Amino acid sequence: MKATVYVTIKQNVLDPQGSAVQGALHSMGFAEVGKVRIGKYLELELDTTDRSEAETRITAMCEKLLANTVIEDYRFELEG
Amino acid sequence: MKATVYVTIKQNVLDPQGSAVQGALHSMGFAEVGKVRIGKYLELELDTTDRSEAETRITAMCEKLLANTVIEDYRFELEG
């Protein structure tokens, strides 16, 4: 089974990396770019076929390691 | 218009960050985790309503700044 995890910075938390990219794009002539938010995208292969078990385990991985839930949100998709 | 950009490391390129996360998950008891690949996830607000223009511009941004096309792939979605 394959899991895709998206970790994004919460809406009300400052994203300095996004601001830096926005500034760089502006200085390169991409003036139409508004707010930029940058997150992480993870692909994990899981050696399991039990979908609900996989959901529980991925949630635990996100809570414990993959996301800092103080400032980040996460969501995931399972396939296979 | 909102653009979502996914930047991922090419399949044949080593992903040390992914390997580190895999090792950490194993040591935390998530033994079912196989290969882990980590990429970037970007959300950009674009001040334009022309979809094909936006596609051209986002492609240029990816080629010039957002992705290192030597070792990374990118894809994007537009909405709004």
Side-chain angles (χ1 to χ4, degrees):
Chain A
M1 189 172 287
K2 191 183 138 193
T4 307
V5 181
Y6 305 88
V7 179
T8 51
I9 292 187
K10 284 181 199 271
Q11 277 307 323
N12 52 352
V13 175
L14 203 69
D15 180 0
Q17 194 187 1
S19 302
V21 167
Q22 182 186 8
L25 288 170
H26 281 188
S27 70
M28 291 167 73
F30 297 106
E32 75 269 39
V33 177
K35 200 169 66 166
V36 178
R37 308 282 291 176
I38 301 186
K40 276 176 292 183
Y41 168 88
L42 299 94
E43 291 174 347
L44 297 92
E45 282 173 14
L46 297 178
D47 184 18
T48 177
T49 51
D50 182 336
R51 198 176 183 85
S52 69
E53 163 82 5
E55 281 181 13
T56 309
R57 297 285 281 177
I58 287 282
T59 303
M61 290 178 210
C62 288
E63 293 283 339
K64 289 180 184 168
L65 182 75
L66 304 180
N68 175 354
T69 54
V70 177
I71 56 165
E72 291 173 329
D73 290 321
Y74 64 86
R75 64 192 163 84
F76 59 85
E77 292 157 9
L78 293 171
E79 55 182 284
Chain B
M1 190 172 289
K2 192 183 137 192
T4 307
V5 181
Y6 305 88
V7 179
T8 50
I9 294 186
K10 285 182 199 271
Q11 277 307 322
N12 52 353
V13 175
L14 203 68
D15 179 359
Q17 195 187 1
S19 302
V21 166
Q22 182 185 10
L25 288 170
H26 280 186
S27 70
M28 291 167 72
F30 297 106
E32 74 270 39
V33 177
K35 200 169 66 168
V36 179
R37 306 283 290 177
I38 301 186
K40 278 176 290 185
Y41 169 87
L42 297 95
E43 291 173 347
L44 296 92
E45 282 172 14
L46 297 178
D47 184 17
T48 177
T49 51
D50 181 338
R51 199 176 182 84
S52 70
E53 163 81 5
E55 279 181 13
T56 309
R57 298 284 282 177
I58 288 282
T59 303
M61 291 179 210
C62 288
E63 293 282 340
K64 289 180 184 166
L65 182 75
L66 303 181
N68 175 353
T69 53
V70 177
I71 57 165
E72 291 172 329
D73 291 320
Y74 64 86
R75 64 192 164 83
F76 59 85
E77 291 157 9
L78 293 170
E79 55 182 285

